[in-house]
Each structure stands twice: as C-alpha cells, then as structure tokens.
C-alpha cells in the first residue's frame, strides 16, 4: 500500500479497538466474539484502518491466523497507550459511582483460583456489586500482553515486561492420603517408608512451571501410576483412596476425608506473585481488587500455611 498522510483525517479511532482485539486473539472470529459483532464487521474495520494508515497491519496465515507485520507491531504499542489513556480519562471525569464500577479479569493458578480466590471474591462482589469479576483458574500461563487478564496471580515473578508486581504470599503443600488408604498399606513412620507406596502427581513434561515438580525432589523415583496436569484432578484422585498426593494445604487441609502424612518430614513451601500492567495499576477498580486480594491473603496466612483448616473472610 502507498502511504498517504492525508488519509489520517479519515481515520476512525474506533477502528483501533478492532485492531487491538485481532492483535491479541490472532483470529477475527475470536475478536468478533469478544466485541459482540460478526466476523465481517471485524474484517471490514481492520481493512478500513489499514486503508487510512496506508499500510498492511496483518499477514494472514492458515496456521497462525492474523500475524502482526512490523508496522502492526509498531502500532500496537501506541494503540494500547491510547486505550489505557481512555480508561484513565473515563475514571477522572466520571463521578465516584462510575469510578467504582467496571470489569476486572483475574488469571490465576487452578487450585488457588478455585479454592481461595473464588470464595474470597464472591464476598467482594457482594460489597461492590457494580464491579464484575471474571476468574480464570487455569493450569497454564496467562498472558497479560494479549490482555487475557487484568491481574495475574502466578507461581513465579515475571522476568520482564512493563508490570507492577508484588509477592502475594507463601503457601505450603503437604503429603495427604485417606485413612482407608493408610490402613490398607504398609505403615508410614519415616520418609524411607514412602518407597513402598504409590503416588498421584503431575505429568512432568506437561507441567507449566518447574515449581510444580516437587515430588522427585522429595522422593526420587517415586512410583506414580496416576498423573494429571490438574491439581484438582490429583486432589479428587487422592480422595478416592488409591494413592498419596502432595497437595496445597489450602485445598486438602479443609477436607476431613484426607489426613496429613509425615507432616514434620514432608513439607514444601512455595509463593504466589501478583502482577498487572503498569498502565492498568492506577485504575480505581484494579486498585480496589488488588488491595482486597492482598488483605484477604494477609488475613489467611495461617490457612495458606496449613496451620489451620479454616478460611476467614474480610468484613
């Protein structure tokens, strides 16, 4: 395409919204679903933006979808800055009621998201009904750069990126089994006895973080005939009474069907990190949710470390 600066006067700034969604999802159909329009509308608006700028923003590929060109990559940073500025502007000129409204999407690890974040934030939405929350408790990494979430809670601190990050909390994992399993199998009096038992664990080559591969460090060559990428699946299998599982205390510690095994000898401490994009951190709804999660985890340190089996909630 031949560039023509006079075309900028015909540029529709709303087309940037369509550009951003296609850049993040790489699919016009996915972008259309997120924007609540049809596929042809997305395609038409992106084409209009390319025409106004006089350049190609995407290469179309059958395998990779819509891939940003060099010009598209350059535009992406500017478009995201415009988007963030608009969010901030809306909050600055809106009344206080509007400022404490909106939508927040939280990505987190599967177990923590399901068994801690979800119950905690169910109380949050009762207090702040004008703020809607999406919780994504998934057993894989969630991308902030693609705007898959506004806030992420992860096992590791991000190595790079324009993020605001804080250590959220420590949590512990211990070895659990059902009383029925322990009755049917050789007694467990010391770590050496574990070699006679079978375990439920992660699929090593599919674990999304090396922080999850604690079984081999604790019990080399452990026999694990049942494995899963999901900690909730491991927990469910352990409850069936057919193996031992290393599970987070915040998950298994509140289930009376499971008991701790060798708690003084088999214990793992890990940490959660919370982060979000710098350009979102000052949004009032993000600040409110961020601070609520931090206070909830601080109040529940004993629960997360396995010192109590009871979760508490903010007033």
């Amino acid at each position: 395409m031949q560039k023509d600066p006079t075309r900028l006067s015909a540029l529709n700034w709303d087309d940037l919204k369509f550009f951003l969604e296609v850049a993040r999802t790489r699919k016009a159909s996915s972008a259309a679903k997120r924007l609540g329009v049809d596929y042809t509308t997305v395609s038409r608006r992106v084409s209009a933006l390319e025409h106004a700028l006089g350049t190609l923003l995407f290469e179309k590929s059958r395998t990779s979808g819509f891939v940003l060109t060099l010009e598209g990559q350059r535009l992406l940073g500017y478009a995201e800055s415009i988007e963030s500025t608009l969010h901030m502007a809306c909050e600055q000129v809106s009344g206080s009621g509007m400022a404490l409204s909106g939508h927040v999407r939280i990505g987190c690890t599967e177990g923590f998201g399901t068994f801690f974040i979800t119950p905690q934030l169910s109380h949050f939405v009762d207090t702040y009904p004008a703020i809607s929350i999406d919780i994504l408790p998934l057993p894989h990494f969630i991308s902030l750069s693609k705007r898959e979430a506004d806030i992420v809670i992860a096992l590791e601190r991000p190595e790079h990126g324009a993020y605001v990050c804080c250590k959220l909390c420590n949590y512990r994992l211990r070895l659990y089994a059902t009383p029925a399993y322990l009755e049917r199998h050789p007694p467990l009096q010391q770590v050496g006895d574990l070699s006679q038992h079978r375990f439920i664990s992660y699929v090593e080559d599919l674990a999304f973080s090396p922080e999850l591969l604690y079984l081999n460090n604790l019990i080399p060559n452990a026999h694990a005939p049942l494995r899963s990428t999901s900690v909730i699946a491991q927990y469910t299998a352990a409850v069936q009474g057919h193996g031992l599982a290393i599970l987070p205390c915040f998950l298994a510690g509140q289930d009376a069907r499971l008991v701790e095994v060798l708690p003084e000898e088999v214990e793992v401490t890990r940490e959660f990190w919370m982060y979000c994009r710098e350009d979102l951190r000052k949004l009032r709804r993000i600040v409110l949710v961020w601070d609520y999660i931090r206070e909830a985890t601080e109040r529940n340190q004993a629960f997360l470390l396995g010192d109590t089996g009871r979760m508490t909630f903010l007033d």
Side-chain angles (χ1 to χ4, degrees):
M1 293 183 182
Q2 184 179 1
K3 296 183 180 181
D4 180 0
T6 61
R7 288 178 176 173
L8 289 176
S9 61
L11 188 148
N12 184 339
W13 295 103
D14 196 43
D15 290 341
L16 289 173
K17 176 175 64 177
F18 291 82
F19 164 77
L20 282 170
E21 289 300 333
V22 175
R24 289 164 183 165
T25 63
R26 289 196 172 188
K27 294 182 179 179
S29 57
S30 299
K33 186 175 181 179
R34 289 176 65 164
L35 292 167
V37 298
D38 57 35
Y39 174 94
T40 56
T41 299
V42 173
S43 181
R44 176 172 52 81
R45 298 296 288 269
V46 170
S47 294
L49 181 61
E50 289 180 326
H51 180 74
L53 294 174
T55 191
L56 190 68
L57 300 173
F58 295 100
E59 296 281 359
K60 284 78 172 180
S61 166
R62 288 187 178 181
T63 56
S64 303
F66 283 69
V67 180
L68 286 168
T69 62
L70 182 59
E71 289 79 7
Q73 292 173 19
R74 290 171 177 164
L75 178 62
L76 180 61
Y78 292 109
E80 289 184 332
S81 295
I82 292 171
E83 181 185 52
S84 299
T85 300
L86 285 173
H87 282 306
M88 290 295 295
C90 287
E91 284 202 347
Q92 293 297 323
V93 302
S94 298
S96 59
M98 288 293 292
L100 292 179
S101 64
H103 183 76
V104 179
R105 177 169 284 185
I106 302 168
C108 45
T109 59
E110 185 188 28
F112 193 59
T114 301
F115 287 86
F116 185 80
I117 294 298
T118 296
Q120 289 293 330
L121 291 184
S122 66
H123 289 252
F124 175 90
V125 295
D126 285 342
T127 305
Y128 301 97
I131 298 178
S132 61
I133 303 287
D134 285 351
I135 301 174
L136 312 179
L138 301 170
H140 60 71
F141 285 115
I142 295 171
S143 173
L144 284 182
S145 62
K146 296 180 180 179
R147 294 296 175 99
E148 293 176 347
D150 302 309
I151 297 173
V152 168
I153 299 171
L155 294 169
E156 301 168 24
R157 182 173 187 160
E159 295 181 358
H160 53 80
Y163 305 133
V164 176
C165 180
C166 73
K167 179 180 175 180
L168 185 59
C169 63
N170 287 332
Y171 72 100
R172 287 197 184 116
L173 305 97
R174 292 188 176 129
L175 189 60
Y176 290 90
T178 62
Y181 171 87
L182 296 174
E183 289 174 5
R184 297 194 310 268
H185 293 83
L188 284 164
Q189 298 178 342
Q190 56 187 355
V191 172
D193 298 332
L194 292 171
S195 60
Q196 305 175 61
H197 292 260
R198 61 182 183 178
F199 291 82
I200 302 156
S201 187
Y202 281 96
V203 182
E204 291 186 16
D205 59 318
L206 296 178
F208 70 90
S209 170
E211 294 294 321
L212 299 173
L213 303 178
Y214 26 70
L215 180 59
N216 282 344
N217 293 329
L218 289 170
I219 309 149
N221 303 314
H223 177 51
L226 181 59
R227 300 181 298 170
S228 175
T229 57
S230 164
V231 69
I232 295 177
Q234 295 171 41
Y235 160 70
T236 302
V239 168
Q240 298 305 305
H242 296 287
L244 299 162
I246 298 176
L247 299 168
C249 297
F250 62 75
L251 191 165
Q254 57 185 324
D255 193 327
R257 296 171 294 178
L258 295 170
V259 296
E260 294 179 357
V261 178
L262 302 175
E264 300 301 321
E265 299 181 65
V266 182
E267 183 177 273
V268 179
T269 300
R270 289 289 187 268
E271 55 195 24
F272 283 121
W273 294 83
M274 183 164 65
Y275 55 98
C276 72
R277 293 170 58 97
E278 285 183 348
D279 56 355
L280 296 180
R281 183 63 178 89
K282 294 181 181 179
L283 293 177
R284 294 181 188 177
R285 62 181 180 274
I286 299 295
V287 171
L288 198 62
V289 174
W290 178 285
D291 290 346
Y292 191 93
I293 292 173
R294 289 202 67 176
E295 187 176 350
T297 55
E298 288 172 5
R299 183 171 296 189
N300 281 282
Q301 276 297 292
F303 174 70
L304 296 170
L305 292 173
D307 296 332
T308 178
R310 183 169 181 173
M311 187 191 310
T312 61
F313 298 93
L314 301 183
D315 299 330

